[in-house]
Amino acid sequence: MDLNSASTVVLQVLTQATSQDSAVLKPAEEQLKQWEIQPGFYSVLLNIFTNHTLDVNVRWLAVLYFKNGIDRYWRRVAPHALSEEEKSTLRAGLITNFNEPVNQIATQISVLIAKVARLDCPRQWPELIPTLLESVKIQDDLRQHRALLTFYHVTKTLASKRLAADKKLFYDLASGIYSFACSLWNHHTDSFLQQIFTGDEAAATNSLERTLLSLKVLRKLTVHGFVEPHRTVEVMGFLHAVFERLKQFLECSRSIGTENVCRDRLEKTIILFTKVLLDFLDQHPFSFTPLIQRSLEFAVSYVFTEAGEGVAFERFIVQCMNLIKMIVKNYAYKPSKHFEGTAALSSACFPILVGGGGAGKLASCDTTLTSNVFKKAILKDSSPETLEAHKIKTSFFTYPTLMEICRRLVSHYFLLTEEELTMWEEDPEGFTVEETGGDSWKYSLRPCTEVLFIDIFHEYNQTLTPVLLEMVHSLQGPTNVEDTNALLIKDAVYNAVGLAAYELFDSVDFDQWFKNQLLAELQVSHNRYKSIRRRVIWLIGQWISVKFKSDLRPMLYEAIRNLLQDQDLVVRIETATTLKLTVDDFEFRTDQFLPYLESMFTLLFQLLQEVTECDTKMHVLHVLSCVIERVNIQIRPYVGCLVQYLPLLWKQSEEHNMLRCAILTTLIHLIQGLGAESKNLYPFLLPIIQLSTDVSQPPHVYLLEDGLELWLVTLENSPCLTPELLRIFQNMSALLELSSENLRTCFKIINAYIFLSSEFLQVYSGDLCRSFCELLKDITTEGQVQVLKVVENVLKVNPALGPQMFQPLLPSVFRGIIEGERYPVVMSTYLGVIGRVLLQNASFFSLLLSQMACECGQELDQLLGNVIEMWVDRMDNITQPERRKLSALALLSLLPSDNSVIQDKFCGIINISVEGLHDVMTEDPETRTYKDCMLMSHFEEPKMTEDEEPPTEQDKRKKTLALKDPVHTVSLQQFVYEKLKAQQELLGEQAFQALMETVDAEIVTQLQEFLQGF
C-alpha cells in the first residue's frame, strides 16, 4: 500500500465510518475490515492519528483500528501477521513525538504502545524504555505528561506478564529504573505541595497529575518488580515515605475546600497511596513485616481516634479498615498454636449473659487468667518471619486498643446515618437491598466496617467478648422511643451481637434472652421503635442456626406472623428474610409450622404484591419458594392466590430476566408441592417452559437452566401427556445440539417423556434417534452412557417396537461388545441394551445378529459365540444387581438349544447364572430356602419415613413399569431350573450330563444348593 496515495483513500473511508448514517457506515466498515490484512495499512493509520489537523473522530477511529490490529496481527505466528520491516517502522513512529493534544486519544496511544511493548519489549524494542525515561524529563508540559502516561501504561502491562522469563525481565527493568521513578515521584510531589500552598492552582493541577502517574508507576514496580523487596533499601525507603506523604496530602485536603479543582485528584492520590500498601501486603506479606506497626498506628489513628476528624473521607476510611483487616486476618502472620491444657478454650473464662426476670446479668471474667492462658501458648512449626509478625501484632493489639476499636466500630460506624434513615423513609425497598455480597466490603463503608468487626472479633474474641456483652448489658430493658440516639446505639449493638453470633455461642444464653427481652421488644409497636423491631428480627435470624431451641419455634412463628403485618415495609421485608432462615434451618419441623402456614403464606403473598422493585419481588419470591419447598404437599390448600398472581407478575417482568428466574424457581417448588394437581396450571405453565427452553429466543440465555428444571419437574408430576406438553418437545433437538452443561437435565426430560406415554415415542422416536446418532459422534464417555440409558428405558417401556425405533444405534452397541469396549461403565451399558433386546425381543436380536454377521464377514454362529464369550469375560464390568440379573436371564433365554456354539458356551452361561443367583437370592434362616429379592408384587406398598417426600407421578409410573419388567417379575431361580429342565429334555439325560460336566464342580454344587426344592 503506497503511503501517499493510500492515506487519502483510507482517510476518506475512516471519515465515512464515523457517519451516523448506516448506509454510509456499513460499507466503510466492510472496506476497513478488508484492509486490516493489507501491508502498509497500519502505517497509514499511524500517519492519520498523528496528524493533529484532522478531525478528532477520524483520528480516534484510526487509533482504535490500530490497537485492534495489534491484538490480531502483531504476533509473528498470527495469520496475515505484519512484516518485521513494517513493525520496526511503526515502533519508531509511535515514540517519535509525545505531543498528542487530545487526552482521550493520548490515552489510547499509550495503551497501544503498551500492547506492542508486551510483545516486543525489550528484545525487539530496546529503545522504548530509554526513550520514555528521557522524555519524562522534558520541560514541555504536554510532552512530559504524555511520556509519563505512556511510561505508566507500559509498566502496568509489563508487570502483568506471568511467565518466569517475562518476570525475570521485569525484575531487571525494575531494578534499573526504580531510583529514577522514585526521584521523579518525589520531584512532582514536592512541586505540587509547594504550588498548592502558594495558591497556584493551574500549576498544582499539572504537578498533581504527574504525581499520580509517577506513583502508579512506582506501585507496579514496587509490588511486581522484586522477588524479596524488603532486601532493597530503596523499596523500603519508598514505602516508609508513603506514610509521610499520606500525612502531607491528608493535611493538604484539610486545608483546601471541596470546590478546589485539585480536590478530586487529591483524593484519588490519597487512595492510590493506600493501594500501594494494600497491594504490597497482599503480594509480599513477609516483606511487609517492618511496616506492620506503622501501618496499624497510621490506620487506627485516622479511623478510630480524633486524628481523622475533618480529614478522613469515606473511601479513605474503607482503605484504612481494609489494611487493618488484611493484617489481622493474614495467615502468614498466624503461628501454629498448641495450648497447654483445655483451660484456654474453656467457656468458664467467658462472661455469660443469662436472662432472668427480663433483665440480664454478666458473670465477670478474670482477664488475668485470660492473659496467662495466652502466655502459656507454645508456638510451634512457625517460621521466624511469622513469629516476628505475630509479635508485632500482639504488642499493638493490646486490651485498651482492641476495646477502643470495638467500641468505636459499634457506637460510631455501626450507627444508621442520616442518609440511611432518610432512605428508609423515602425508598424503603432500596434501603433493604444491602450491598453486602461479593467484594462490596472493599469499597463500601458499612459492609467494610462489619467485615472488619467480624475478623477482629474472631481473632481476639476472648478479649472482646466481655466488651461487647457489657455493651449489651447496658441496654437491658426497653428504650425510650423519644431518645433517638439510644435507639441507634441499641440497633448498632444488636447488629454486633448478630455478626458475632458464632463467636458468642458459649457466652450468650440466647434462648433466655429471646424469651425475656427480645420478644418484648418486637411487641413495641411505636413507629419510632421500628429500627429496633427490624434489628431484633434480623438478630434472631442470625442466631437461628447457631443456638435456638426447637421448642421456642412456635413463639418465633407467632412473632414473625405479627411482624409480617407491621406498619413499616422495611420491618416486613426483614421479617420475611428471617422466616426464610428459620424455615431453611436443619432443625425445622413441619408439624410446628403448619398452624401458621396459611396466615404466613397469605401475608407473604400480600407483601409480594405490595413491593414494586424487581430485587425485592425476587427476594420475597425466594422466601415463598423456600416455604413451599419445606412444607411440600401441605401447601396445596393455600396456593390459589399465588397461582392467579404469577401470570400477571410474569407479564410485568418481561424486561427483568432475573425476576423471571425467581418466578421459575417458585414454580418448580410449586409444582413439586401440587403434584398431579399442577395440570391445572398448564395454560400458564407450558408457554413459560416453551419460551425458557427455546434457544432461538433471546431470554433463553437467562432462563434456560431454570426452565429445563421446571420442564422436568412438570413432567415428573404430570398425570398424563397433553398435546401441548408433547408439542414443547420440539425444543429438544436444538438443545441437544448445544451439548452444554444442561445435557444431563435434557436426558432426564427425555426419560420422563418416555415413562409418561407411549405416544411420545410414536411421534418423536425418529427425531430423537437422529439426534442421538449425531451426539454419539462427538461426546464424552459419560455422555455415551446417558444416551444409552435413554435407549435402555425405551426398551423397557416398549420391548416390541423399541429396538426398531432405535435400530440405527444398535450396530455400534453390538460392535462395542464384540471389540471389547475398554470403559467398564460403557461396556456395562452396552450389555444392558443388548440384554434387553435378547431377552424381550428374540426375533429382532436374530435380525440384528444376521446384519452384524454380514457387516463383519463372519458366520452367524461364530459371531454369537464371540458375543457370549465377551459377555462372560466382561461380566465383572457390570456392577448394578439389576443388570447382572438381566444378563443371566438374557443368556439363559438362549436355552434350550441344540446349537453347537451355544452348547460350547454352556459353561459360561451357567457361570453367569450362578453369579446372578448369588447377587439376588436371599436365604430365609428359618426355612433354609432361597428367595429372589428383586421380585416385586402388585401388593407391595412403599414404606415411607416422615422425612421422605411423597412419590411423584413418575415414581408411580416407574413402579408400574417395574411390575412388568422381567428383572422384577421373573424368579431367576425358577428361570434357571426351567431352562435347564428344558435343555435336559431336548438333549436327553446322558447328553445333558455330559454338558453339565463342562461346568466347574464347585459351580455345579452352588447351583444345586440354589435349586433345592425344585
Side-chain angles (χ1 to χ4, degrees):
M1 188 177 282
D2 179 75
L3 285 184
N4 293 327
S5 59
S7 292
T8 306
V9 178
V10 174
L11 180 60
Q12 182 182 0
V13 176
L14 280 171
T15 304
Q16 292 169 351
T18 62
S19 171
Q20 301 298 314
D21 183 354
S22 59
V24 177
L25 171 66
K26 292 294 181 184
E29 287 181 338
E30 283 298 318
Q31 181 62 71
L32 289 168
K33 190 172 183 180
Q34 292 175 21
W35 283 340
E36 280 182 359
I37 58 175
Q38 293 296 318
F41 177 61
Y42 295 95
S43 298
V44 173
L45 291 179
L46 177 63
N47 285 346
I48 290 172
F49 71 69
T50 54
N51 186 345
H52 304 157
T53 63
L54 298 177
D55 179 73
V56 170
N57 292 324
V58 172
R59 295 174 56 229
W60 168 263
L61 197 58
V63 171
L64 292 184
Y65 268 94
F66 194 111
K67 191 173 73 170
N68 293 335
I70 295 169
D71 293 329
R72 294 172 186 163
Y73 310 115
W74 200 274
R75 295 178 187 273
R76 279 179 292 180
V77 294
H80 310 292
L82 276 72
S83 68
E84 292 302 317
E85 293 76 19
E86 184 174 4
K87 287 197 291 186
S88 179
T89 304
L90 292 172
R91 285 192 294 260
L94 286 171
I95 55 174
T96 302
N97 291 304
F98 294 101
N99 61 346
E100 172 55 53
V102 181
N103 280 328
Q104 292 89 336
I105 295 178
T107 301
Q108 291 300 319
I109 293 173
S110 297
V111 170
L112 70 84
I113 289 173
K115 281 179 173 287
V116 175
R118 183 180 183 86
L119 300 171
D120 290 358
C121 187
R123 291 185 180 90
Q124 286 80 34
W125 206 2
E127 64 273 18
L128 173 63
I129 300 299
T131 302
L132 290 173
L133 296 182
E134 285 303 315
S135 300
V136 297
K137 299 176 187 176
I138 297 173
Q139 295 305 307
D140 181 288
D141 281 350
L142 179 64
R143 293 173 186 271
Q144 185 187 69
H145 178 270
R146 300 319 191 211
L148 191 51
L149 179 66
T150 305
F151 188 28
Y152 160 62
H153 280 288
V154 168
T155 308
K156 177 184 176 182
T157 300
L158 296 179
S160 68
K161 300 180 77 172
R162 289 291 171 261
L163 293 178
D166 293 326
K167 290 170 75 172
K168 174 67 168 61
L169 287 172
F170 191 69
Y171 295 152
D172 294 341
L173 171 66
S175 61
I177 67 173
Y178 199 83
S179 295
F180 174 78
C182 283
S183 63
L184 193 67
W185 168 65
N186 275 315
H187 166 71
H188 290 306
T189 304
D190 289 334
S191 297
F192 163 72
L193 291 172
Q194 181 180 355
Q195 290 156 355
I196 195 70
F197 286 120
T198 58
D200 189 348
E201 287 191 359
T205 302
N206 286 336
S207 294
L208 183 55
E209 175 65 20
R210 287 154 178 73
T211 299
L212 189 59
L213 286 172
S214 55
L215 183 56
K216 286 181 176 181
V217 171
L218 273 174
R219 177 189 175 195
K220 295 300 177 184
L221 295 176
T222 303
V223 175
H224 301 289
F226 300 89
V227 180
E228 295 180 305
H230 61 283
R231 299 187 185 279
T232 305
V233 174
E234 289 172 320
V235 172
M236 299 312 291
F238 162 69
L239 290 167
H240 280 289
V242 164
F243 294 100
E244 298 303 323
R245 293 301 195 184
L246 257 172
K247 290 177 182 176
Q248 291 174 341
F249 274 64
L250 285 165
E251 288 304 314
C252 178
S253 72
R254 188 201 299 271
S255 63
I256 68 172
T258 54
E259 71 287 348
N260 192 293
V261 292
C262 293
R263 182 76 197 189
D264 183 54
R265 283 285 178 191
L266 184 61
E267 291 190 356
K268 283 185 177 179
T269 309
I270 290 170
I271 295 304
L272 186 59
F273 279 125
T274 61
K275 285 181 178 179
V276 171
L277 297 173
L278 286 165
D279 288 355
F280 191 75
L281 170 57
D282 181 56
Q283 294 294 319
H284 305 284
F286 289 130
S287 293
F288 193 86
T289 301
L291 304 169
I292 291 176
Q293 180 76 21
R294 195 166 185 183
S295 297
L296 289 172
E297 288 174 351
F298 176 86
V300 169
S301 68
Y302 276 101
V303 176
F304 296 110
T305 72
E306 289 72 21
E309 291 180 6
V311 59
F313 51 97
E314 183 172 310
R315 186 69 204 282
F316 173 68
I317 294 171
V318 169
Q319 292 292 92
C320 286
M321 286 188 175
N322 287 337
L323 187 59
I324 299 169
K325 168 191 157 54
M326 284 183 67
I327 293 172
V328 168
K329 200 176 179 180
N330 204 307
Y331 289 106
Y333 302 158
K334 293 185 178 182
S336 303
K337 289 186 177 180
H338 171 72
F339 291 96
E340 292 182 349
T342 57
L345 299 179
S346 170
S347 61
C349 73
F350 287 96
I352 310 297
L353 181 68
V354 183
K361 59 181 180 179
L362 282 170
S364 62
C365 176
D366 186 345
T367 54
T368 307
L369 169 63
T370 307
S371 176
N372 289 336
V373 165
F374 278 103
K375 287 179 182 177
K376 285 184 178 180
I378 301 173
L379 306 180
K380 306 195 306 180
D381 306 324
S382 299
S383 66
E385 294 87 353
T386 297
L387 295 177
E388 174 64 22
H390 178 72
K391 181 181 177 183
I392 296 169
K393 278 174 56 181
T394 304
S395 66
F396 179 82
F397 286 112
T398 59
Y399 176 77
T401 300
L402 286 168
M403 182 177 68
E404 184 60 24
I405 289 173
C406 180
R407 288 189 180 280
R408 291 272 295 189
L409 277 171
V410 175
S411 63
H412 179 69
Y413 289 106
F414 279 12
L415 296 183
L416 290 170
T417 64
E418 283 295 328
E419 291 82 0
E420 288 172 320
L421 292 171
T422 301
M423 189 177 186
W424 185 326
E425 296 298 330
E426 297 177 356
D427 182 16
E429 291 185 51
F431 176 83
T432 59
V433 181
E434 297 180 7
E435 192 186 2
T436 56
D439 289 342
S440 61
W441 58 269
K442 292 181 179 178
Y443 315 105
S444 302
L445 185 58
R446 182 161 294 281
C448 174
T449 57
E450 293 180 351
V451 168
L452 177 61
F453 174 82
I454 291 168
D455 288 338
I456 286 185
F457 205 94
H458 174 75
E459 187 75 8
Y460 302 103
N461 62 80
Q462 290 182 314
T463 304
L464 292 178
T465 295
V467 177
L468 180 56
L469 293 185
E470 181 58 46
M471 297 171 78
V472 175
H473 184 56
S474 67
L475 299 173
Q476 295 299 296
T479 303
N480 185 353
V481 295
E482 302 298 331
D483 191 342
T484 303
N485 189 59
L487 291 172
L488 290 175
I489 289 289
K490 177 174 274 192
D491 174 86
V493 172
Y494 283 3
N495 185 19
V497 175
L499 294 172
Y502 285 97
E503 306 299 334
L504 295 171
F505 178 86
D506 289 320
S507 308
V508 173
D509 187 339
F510 191 80
D511 297 328
Q512 289 296 319
W513 194 28
F514 170 75
K515 287 190 295 184
N516 296 334
Q517 172 149 346
L518 298 181
L519 265 180
E521 301 217 69
L522 291 177
Q523 292 162 8
V524 180
S525 59
H526 196 286
N527 184 52
R528 289 185 181 174
Y529 214 72
K530 63 186 179 183
S531 63
I532 304 303
R533 293 197 300 276
R534 173 242 182 188
R535 181 58 69 190
V536 169
I537 199 64
W538 171 87
L539 171 64
I540 294 168
Q542 303 308 299
W543 276 84
I544 280 291
S545 61
V546 179
K547 182 194 284 187
F548 196 84
K549 278 185 182 175
S550 180
D551 295 346
L552 298 177
R553 294 287 176 119
M555 297 172 67
L556 175 57
Y557 294 143
E558 191 78 39
I560 288 175
R561 182 167 62 185
N562 292 337
L563 285 184
L564 283 173
Q565 302 170 71
D566 196 273
Q567 58 187 335
D568 185 79
L569 182 58
V570 171
V571 174
R572 295 202 297 281
I573 294 171
E574 196 66 69
T575 303
T577 305
T578 294
L579 174 59
K580 182 180 184 298
L581 293 169
T582 307
V583 170
D584 207 24
D585 184 57
F586 179 75
E587 294 188 8
F588 172 78
R589 283 168 40 196
T590 308
D591 60 313
Q592 287 182 321
F593 186 68
L594 284 179
Y596 306 92
L597 175 58
E598 182 177 7
S599 56
M600 293 272 206
F601 197 84
T602 302
L603 290 166
L604 282 172
F605 175 65
Q606 290 172 0
L607 180 59
L608 177 63
Q609 289 179 297
E610 181 178 350
V611 296
T612 57
E613 294 296 323
C614 180
D615 286 341
T616 325
K617 282 190 178 289
M618 284 172 55
H619 179 65
V620 179
L621 269 175
H622 283 137
V623 179
L624 279 163
S625 294
C626 189
V627 171
I628 295 169
E629 182 182 18
R630 293 313 298 264
V631 301
N632 205 276
I633 61 173
Q634 308 281 358
I635 199 64
R636 291 178 183 177
Y638 315 117
V639 296
C641 57
L642 182 62
V643 167
Q644 291 174 3
Y645 175 65
L646 284 177
L648 174 62
L649 184 59
W650 179 266
K651 188 175 181 180
Q652 292 173 342
S653 63
E654 190 170 355
E655 303 299 320
H656 303 284
N657 286 307
M658 297 315 294
L659 177 53
R660 286 195 157 185
C661 287
I663 296 172
L664 290 174
T665 303
T666 304
L667 284 169
I668 289 168
H669 297 309
L670 195 57
I671 300 304
Q672 289 170 328
L674 289 173
E677 293 178 20
S678 61
K679 186 182 177 186
N680 298 326
L681 273 63
Y682 283 7
F684 161 59
L685 185 64
L686 300 188
I688 284 181
I689 296 173
Q690 164 71 37
L691 174 69
S692 303
T693 60
D694 184 352
V695 297
S696 68
Q697 297 292 331
H700 91 273
V701 175
Y702 304 95
L703 307 179
L704 181 58
E705 187 172 350
D706 292 317
L708 286 171
E709 195 64 37
L710 178 60
W711 191 359
L712 175 60
V713 169
T714 300
L715 290 166
E716 289 174 341
N717 289 278
S718 177
C720 61
L721 183 65
T722 68
E724 295 79 14
L725 194 54
L726 182 61
R727 198 174 301 121
I728 297 175
F729 195 79
Q730 293 171 356
N731 286 355
M732 185 55 71
S733 293
L735 289 166
L736 293 175
E737 287 177 18
L738 283 179
S739 298
S740 66
E741 63 276 3
N742 296 309
L743 209 50
R744 185 186 295 273
T745 309
C746 290
F747 288 133
K748 289 180 180 178
I749 289 169
I750 296 167
N751 282 325
Y753 272 107
I754 291 167
F755 293 132
L756 182 57
S757 171
S758 58
E759 184 186 349
F760 163 72
L761 287 173
Q762 293 167 13
V763 176
Y764 285 111
S765 60
D767 293 341
L768 201 54
C769 186
R770 282 188 289 274
S771 293
F772 281 179
C773 287
E774 285 301 312
L775 264 178
L776 288 171
K777 291 177 184 177
D778 182 25
I779 199 171
T780 63
T781 301
E782 184 184 358
Q784 290 180 49
V785 171
Q786 295 299 324
V787 169
L788 292 172
K789 280 184 176 178
V790 174
V791 176
E792 197 173 5
N793 285 329
V794 171
L795 299 177
K796 283 183 186 179
V797 169
N798 197 333
L801 298 177
Q804 294 173 0
M805 292 175 175
F806 286 86
Q807 192 276 334
L809 282 175
L810 296 178
S812 63
V813 174
F814 210 102
R815 277 193 297 274
I817 294 174
I818 298 169
E819 294 168 4
E821 165 63 44
R822 61 194 182 96
Y823 291 107
V825 180
V826 178
M827 187 63 163
S828 171
T829 315
Y830 282 167
L831 293 172
V833 169
I834 295 300
R836 288 272 167 201
V837 176
L838 174 58
L839 178 62
Q840 295 182 270
N841 197 331
S843 59
F844 187 88
F845 180 80
S846 298
L847 291 173
L848 181 63
L849 192 65
S850 299
Q851 177 190 341
M852 297 308 299
C854 292
E855 188 178 303
C856 299
Q858 293 186 21
E859 292 292 328
L860 202 66
D861 288 348
Q862 181 188 358
L863 186 61
L864 177 60
N866 291 343
V867 171
I868 297 172
E869 189 173 331
M870 186 60 72
W871 207 322
V872 173
D873 184 58
R874 292 297 185 88
M875 186 66 177
D876 287 342
N877 287 172
I878 306 174
T879 56
Q880 302 95 324
E882 291 86 355
R883 279 213 188 122
R884 291 176 68 82
K885 179 178 177 179
L886 175 68
S887 289
L889 290 172
L891 290 175
L892 281 166
S893 71
L894 294 169
L895 303 178
S897 174
D898 57 1
N899 184 300
S900 61
V901 171
I902 293 176
Q903 290 188 25
D904 186 51
K905 306 301 179 186
F906 180 79
C907 171
I909 294 172
I910 297 302
N911 285 348
I912 285 181
S913 300
V914 173
E915 280 190 42
L917 288 167
H918 278 293
D919 291 329
V920 304
M921 302 303 287
T922 55
E923 185 180 13
D924 187 328
E926 294 182 4
T927 62
R928 303 286 293 174
T929 57
Y930 288 94
K931 180 184 177 184
D932 190 330
C933 66
M934 285 194 183
L935 292 179
M936 294 176 66
S937 162
H938 286 272
F939 307 103
E940 288 180 359
E941 290 293 332
K943 296 176 182 177
M944 289 173 53
T945 64
E946 292 182 4
D947 296 332
E948 287 182 320
E949 295 180 358
T952 64
E953 295 300 303
Q954 178 162 302
D955 292 332
K956 296 173 186 176
R957 287 191 282 271
K958 284 183 175 180
K959 175 71 182 297
T960 303
L961 181 61
L963 292 172
K964 300 175 183 177
D965 188 344
V967 172
H968 298 296
T969 57
V970 176
S971 164
L972 181 58
Q973 183 188 34
Q974 179 81 31
F975 198 66
V976 170
Y977 172 76
E978 289 174 356
K979 289 296 181 180
L980 290 178
K981 184 71 174 173
Q983 185 71 25
Q984 185 181 28
E985 290 172 356
L986 176 68
L987 297 181
E989 181 65 30
Q990 187 174 357
F992 178 73
Q993 287 301 324
L995 198 59
M996 288 299 296
E997 286 175 6
T998 64
V999 183
D1000 184 83
E1002 178 61 30
I1003 299 295
V1004 173
T1005 302
Q1006 294 173 26
L1007 179 63
Q1008 290 170 343
E1009 190 175 334
F1010 280 120
L1011 297 182
Q1012 282 179 4
F1014 281 94

